Amino acid sequence: MILPARRIGPFSVSAIGLGCMGLSHAYDVAPPVEEGARLLNRALDLGITLIDTAALYGGGRNEELIAGAIMHRKAEFTLASKCVLEVVDGKRVLDGSPDAIARSVERSLARLRTDHIDLLYLHRPDPRVAIEESVGALVGLKEAGKIGAIGLSEMGAEAIRRAQAVHPIAAVQTEYSPIVRNPEVAVLETCRELDIAFVAFSPVARGLLAGGIRNAAYAAGDIRAFMPRFVEPNLTHNLHAVAAFGALAAEIGVTSAQLSLAWVLSRGDHVVPIPGTRNIAHLEEDLGAAAIILSQESVTRIDAIFAPGAILGARYLAPLQAQVTTETLPGEELA
């Protein structure tokens, strides 16, 4: 399959990438390594050329999975990982100091069995460390040949501009879907202005826009059980809007996941969604979105379905919300 291409800094990547978190992290028990490896190889076979991981995912196991499964095919894809957020001695640690970044990257390189990561993000802003200092650490790693480009994750427009003043930023990554519109406050336009790619994680709203959630009976370890909009009483309310979205998708002749991804792709040529899945059939379904051209009428109807008040509940619980600086929407609920 030949997918359309979009640009992230010096890299030309498939317009739809693969977010790998769910293969090792966050959504109940991770699948066996063999299943994850099959999906990763199928993604490359289908033409995906952007693979996104992080030091945090599975306490490093996600990077190890990628190393064992596809690093022998490294010439076929752009590798993105993240530092600053990590699991150290069994505890989640946020540390954006230069020394911590350097140590984290060395661990990632070892797990990935490589001496170079194409794109490295600061996973979250560390309020104790100036963004200029953290970006400066990445500049040093780039000059040493250990990384190729610099990215930011879950940061607002002010942080992006401060970081860009230190060194050109290749990509900014934040959650974005027809349900989650925070990047529209300032980040999307800031990225467009500064010629920075915008990488949209959770573009099918953590499964909510892919038919994957019908009730709050989550398996143990599923992070959605701790996200206000995914639990009662908010979930029942939210599923009404999700049903309307599904009806629109059926009317158009696509799946809900495809409609959500096509909507994200329509937000600008600088936008690259990175859906994640553990299911090869779902992966193949997702990539069908690259061929969908939405009419303005469809976009308008999607906006009406998810008008203010259609979705209740905050994106994160308060401790996690405190770790992001992506702008909030007027009247947005904060846990």
Side-chain angles (χ1 to χ4, degrees), residues 3 9 60 64 79 93 128 134 147 152 160 180 194 212 239 271 283 312 317:
L3 294 171
E64 292 171 348
L79 173 65
V93 173
R128 303 165 304 171
S134 295
I147 68 173
L152 310 174
I160 294 169
V180 177
L194 299 177
L239 287 174
V271 178
L283 173 69
L312 299 181
L317 288 173

Side-chain angles (χ1 to χ4, degrees), residues 207-280:
L208 196 55
L209 295 181
I213 299 173
R214 294 177 177 82
N215 56 57
Y218 303 109
D222 193 319
I223 60 173
R224 291 170 293 191
F226 304 97
M227 294 181 165
R229 63 185 46 169
F230 287 91
V231 296
E232 300 298 353
N234 295 327
L235 182 61
T236 294
H237 171 92
N238 296 342
L239 287 174
H240 291 297
V242 170
F245 183 80
L248 175 59
E251 180 183 326
I252 294 172
V254 300
T255 68
S256 292
Q258 289 172 335
L259 182 57
S260 187
L261 288 165
W263 181 90
V264 173
L265 286 165
S266 76
R267 300 298 85 196
D269 291 340
H270 65 310
V271 178
V272 180
I274 51 167
T277 183
R278 299 173 172 182
N279 184 295
I280 289 177

Side-chain angles (χ1 to χ4, degrees), residues 18-327:
L18 180 67
C20 298
M21 179 180 77
L23 295 175
S24 308
H25 186 89
Y27 300 115
D28 66 66
V29 178
V33 169
E34 295 78 11
E35 289 184 18
R38 278 195 293 271
L39 186 135
L40 287 163
N41 278 280
R42 183 59 177 155
L44 298 186
D45 293 342
L46 290 168
I48 287 178
T49 63
L50 175 61
I51 301 295
D52 184 274
T53 183
L56 176 70
Y57 301 160
R61 290 190 301 276
N62 198 246
E63 291 178 324
E64 292 171 348
L65 168 65
I66 287 169
I70 57 172
M71 283 302 281
H72 65 288
R73 301 177 65 177
K74 179 60 189 65
E76 300 176 43
F77 65 93
T78 296
L79 173 65
S81 193
K82 308 176 192 74
C83 62
V84 174
L85 264 185
E86 205 173 357
V87 175
V88 179
D89 297 328
K91 295 181 179 180
R92 180 177 169 125
V93 173
L94 172 64
D95 192 340
S97 65
D99 286 347
I101 287 173
R103 291 192 298 269
S104 176
V105 171
E106 289 302 326
R107 288 190 288 266
S108 287
L109 290 169
R111 288 190 293 260
L112 288 161
R113 302 179 205 167
T114 186
D115 60 3
H116 182 84
I117 297 169
D118 298 317
L119 171 62
L120 188 72
Y121 294 89
L122 298 175
H123 205 156
R124 291 291 189 275
D126 182 346
R128 303 165 304 171
V129 181
I131 187 66
E132 292 85 355
E133 194 174 347
S134 295
V135 172
L138 296 190
V139 173
L141 291 168
K142 180 179 178 182
E143 291 172 346
K146 295 184 178 183
I147 68 173
I150 295 171
L152 310 174
S153 178
E154 287 279 42
M155 299 194 196
E158 179 188 2
I160 294 169
R161 291 184 185 279
R162 288 171 58 189
Q164 179 79 0
V166 176
H167 186 279
I169 300 301
V172 171
Q173 183 173 144
T174 294
E175 183 176 3
Y176 192 40
S177 73
I179 284 177
V180 177
R181 302 293 189 92
N182 301 77
E184 295 175 2
V185 177
V187 168
L188 268 184
E189 188 53 40
T190 299
C191 288
R192 192 192 312 272
E193 175 192 336
L194 299 177
D195 196 28
I196 298 171
F198 178 85
V199 177
F201 77 77
S202 297
V204 296
R206 303 184 188 275
L208 196 55
L209 295 181
I213 299 173
R214 294 177 177 82
N215 56 57
Y218 303 109
D222 193 319
I223 60 173
R224 291 170 293 191
F226 304 97
M227 294 181 165
R229 63 185 46 169
F230 287 91
V231 296
E232 300 298 353
N234 295 327
L235 182 61
T236 294
H237 171 92
N238 296 342
L239 287 174
H240 291 297
V242 170
F245 183 80
L248 175 59
E251 180 183 326
I252 294 172
V254 300
T255 68
S256 292
Q258 289 172 335
L259 182 57
S260 187
L261 288 165
W263 181 90
V264 173
L265 286 165
S266 76
R267 300 298 85 196
D269 291 340
H270 65 310
V271 178
V272 180
I274 51 167
T277 183
R278 299 173 172 182
N279 184 295
I280 289 177
H282 291 168
L283 173 69
E284 294 170 350
E285 173 191 331
D286 287 347
L287 296 185
I292 298 170
I293 305 298
L294 291 183
S295 68
Q296 185 55 51
E297 178 193 4
S298 295
V299 172
T300 299
R301 290 174 67 182
I302 291 169
D303 289 344
I305 289 169
F306 296 114
I311 298 296
L312 299 181
R315 205 159 61 98
Y316 292 125
L317 288 173
L320 293 182
Q321 181 63 40
Q323 291 184 354
V324 309
T325 59
T326 307
E327 290 80 5

